[in-house]
Amino acid sequence: MPQWLKDAVFYEIYPQSFYDANGDGIGDFEGIMRKLDYIRDLGCNALWINPCFDSPFKDAGYDVRDYKKTAPRYGSNDDLCRLFAEAHRRRMRVLLDLVPGHTSEEHLWFRESRKAEKNEYSHRYIWSDSWIAWGLEGLRFIAGESERNGVYIINFFKSQPALNYGFLRPREPWQLPADHAESIATREALKDIMRFWLDAGCDGFRVDMADSLVKFDDEEKSGTQAVWRNIRAMLDSDYPEAALVSEWGNPFQALAAGFHMDFLLDHDHSGYRSLVRDFGYGPDNLPLGENNSFFKSGGRGDITRFLDQYLPWYEAAKGKGYISLITGNHDTPRISAGLDERELALAYALFLSFPGVPFIYYGDEIGMRYLPGLPSKEGGYTRTGSRTPMQWNEDSGGTANKGFSAAAPESLYLPVDPLPGAPTVEAQKDDPASLLNTVRSLLALRHGEPDLQAEPNLEILYAEKEKLPFVYRRGAFVLALNPGAAPARAPVSVAGARLVFSIGGAALEGGVCALEARSFGVWKTGT
Ligand code: GLC
Ligand code: CA
């Protein structure tokens, strides 16, 4: 386990939309480099950068055409290596996004694989042995697109053919077992890509759809787990400081597979959703109706819905790895949808004071908004509204684009939030009560106290169904949160409690923890 994860706080960067240094309307590596001081001063000491490799961008770069070459629109391989070096100079780490389950249909491997003549890459993807689709049993496939007599399996969009790591229980002759030489060759090719970037200076990977490798896997995903355990062994021996974080959504399975941490995600986790956006969802996965997030004052939030799901995972993760709480990501609606600024501050208070390794999605620290109704960009569909340019400055004196880019507004990758009240770094940076400075203070508190970092020392002191506040302990600290519209009290007896941080009014004395409406407190106990 890399020791640096204990005090890591990540900042997720969607490179298209962070900062455009050369004025062509799209973010780039140079832009990220120029904003590293901002990220470090916020209190984030690690980055996750969404895929930045050569790609036709039918899924925003999750369709990789060449794993070893950066997308020219962001800069060269050398620029990315400079970014690693600039981050390291500031004692920051950089995770790249590794897409192991599929490539772009334009990847050289696939262009070879689809040929009728047998070649080195014929088995790099999963092909049936007849142009008539049979024996597919629930696998999603494309037929009629190649000279090769067969149909091929896809992992996500049509443009993303699934790489072949074999089948746990093959049912047809064309389904190779997971220990077949061709399945192993795919795994080794993946390791070669990982070594390439680790040798170039990256600090590990966020792994896309990490559970999707071996097909017809069992419920435990034991076939896919075996692939990752083999890869983890390589890291342990050759790159012991490299971190591996999965988009798996099941910490039991992901940590057993060798990942150092796994995300709680909103598509599978009602517990996570009960925290951040407990709406009904409409047909396009768009939020409908009122938000019953735990943080919504006047809502019907309930912390036990989160804890019921989280605590078993938390217990199981002890000693194996961490659970990552996210403010959001490039696939989710922005957390600010349906929450006001104080509610957001209280949400971040919990996220940034919990065990595990937190992730902040760029712009969430200022409360950037989800932009509804944008035309889909690069396969984003309803995700597009969460991917708009970072809002750095106020527009004044003829500038537009909120400081994101010097390009004409109509040639930006995506439009900047055009509505009044769009938050910016500039407007918040000198206001001690701003969301931005609240996040800074919460992170400064965390970095200053090992008890408030990733290691599992959580004790629940008060968490009752449909009641407030929520009170928890971490080592020498007691923390209490009341997102409700009315004051709340709970019995909590501790010795020598000294308030070290608060949002709103909070007191802990005489065996009672008392919080004003919409407030949060942290006390250091003992002498
Ligand atoms: C993951 C990514 C998402 C992408 C998909 C396919 O869920 O986060 O953005 O579209 O995988 O690679
Ligand atoms: Ca640019």
Side-chain angles (χ1 to χ4, degrees), residues 12 14 48 50-51 59-63 97 99 102 155-157 160 206 208-209 247 267 329-331 379 383 387:
E12 180 192 344
Y14 189 71
W48 154 28
N50 290 110
D59 185 16
Y62 283 96
D63 48 330
D97 208 319
V99 188
H102 46 272
N155 233 23
F156 197 68
F157 288 153
Q160 292 160 318
R206 173 272 188 185
D208 185 68
M209 291 177 64
E247 184 197 36
H267 43 271
N329 69 25
H330 62 291
D331 295 329
R383 305 177 293 184
R387 299 176 172 184

Side-chain angles (χ1 to χ4, degrees), residues 14-28 31-32 34-35 74 362 368 387-395 399-409 411-417 424:
Y14 189 71
Q16 290 90 320
S17 295
F18 195 55
Y19 185 61
D20 172 21
N22 66 355
D24 64 355
I26 187 161
D28 41 52
I32 298 173
R34 293 200 198 159
K35 297 296 185 183
Y74 303 131
Y362 81 96
M368 266 177 65
R387 299 176 172 184
T388 59
M390 177 68 179
Q391 294 150 205
W392 297 103
N393 301 328
E394 296 295 302
D395 286 332
T399 67
N401 306 338
K402 301 266 183 309
F404 162 68
S405 168
S411 55
L412 297 189
Y413 173 79
L414 278 173
V416 174
D417 186 342
T424 65

Side-chain angles (χ1 to χ4, degrees), residues 102-365:
H102 46 272
T103 67
S104 160
E105 60 198 343
E106 295 182 21
H107 194 291
L108 170 82
W109 295 342
F110 189 70
R111 287 188 277 122
E112 290 296 308
S113 197
R114 71 195 307 168
K115 289 183 178 161
E117 318 79 62
K118 213 166 166 5
N119 61 62
E120 192 186 342
Y121 300 107
S122 296
H123 291 291
R124 185 53 54 89
Y125 300 82
I126 305 170
W127 291 86
S128 73
D129 56 6
S130 165
W131 62 275
I132 301 174
W134 55 269
L136 276 304
E137 289 181 84
L139 296 167
R140 293 189 304 135
F141 63 90
I142 302 295
E145 285 259 305
S146 68
E147 292 157 22
R148 180 170 171 171
N149 181 21
V151 308
Y152 62 92
I153 308 305
I154 55 167
N155 233 23
F156 197 68
F157 288 153
K158 181 257 166 191
S159 55
Q160 292 160 318
L163 284 162
N164 187 11
Y165 295 86
F167 286 71
L168 187 67
R169 285 159 305 181
R171 293 168 201 166
E172 303 289 343
W174 53 266
Q175 298 172 359
L176 304 181
D179 59 2
H180 190 280
E182 296 285 359
S183 316
I184 303 280
T186 306
R187 183 193 74 201
E188 293 304 306
L190 180 66
K191 282 155 81 176
D192 174 61
I193 294 160
M194 294 172 77
R195 299 185 83 99
F196 178 84
W197 287 112
L198 289 165
D199 291 340
C202 92
D203 299 290
F205 303 93
R206 173 272 188 185
V207 179
D208 185 68
M209 291 177 64
D211 63 336
S212 72
L213 307 189
V214 171
K215 303 306 178 196
F216 292 163
D217 217 343
D218 55 17
E219 288 226 331
E220 278 304 295
K221 306 255 170 143
S222 58
T224 297
Q225 284 183 327
V227 175
W228 289 115
R229 276 196 290 268
N230 175 283
I231 292 173
R232 169 69 183 264
M234 171 187 87
L235 295 184
D236 285 350
S237 82
D238 297 353
Y239 306 93
E241 286 295 290
L244 206 54
V245 48
S246 48
E247 184 197 36
W248 193 304
N250 183 326
F252 288 135
Q253 294 179 357
L255 302 184
F259 284 91
H260 297 114
M261 45 192 179
D262 187 32
F263 294 111
L264 289 200
L265 297 168
D266 79 336
H267 43 271
D268 330 286
H269 300 143
S270 57
Y272 174 80
R273 259 159 78 153
S274 77
L275 278 188
V276 300
R277 51 176 143 268
D278 190 13
F279 314 102
Y281 274 72
D284 261 347
N285 203 30
L286 281 174
L288 288 176
E290 81 184 280
N291 187 356
N292 284 316
S293 155
F294 173 66
F295 302 109
K296 188 84 206 151
S297 10
R300 285 177 286 122
D302 179 356
I303 194 66
T304 64
R305 291 178 50 205
F306 166 66
L307 294 175
D308 286 350
Q309 189 172 55
Y310 175 82
L311 289 176
W313 277 332
Y314 165 79
E315 289 299 331
K318 277 186 180 165
K320 300 201 182 72
Y322 302 120
I323 296 176
S324 291
L325 289 178
I326 62 171
T327 64
N329 69 25
H330 62 291
D331 295 329
T332 70
R334 288 267 182 193
I335 187 174
S336 63
L339 298 180
D340 66 25
E341 199 173 307
R342 173 59 78 91
E343 289 158 350
L344 282 178
L346 296 175
Y348 299 159
L350 185 140
F351 285 131
L352 303 178
S353 68
F354 243 53
V357 178
F359 279 68
I360 296 176
Y361 184 50
Y362 81 96
D364 281 348
E365 72 276 22

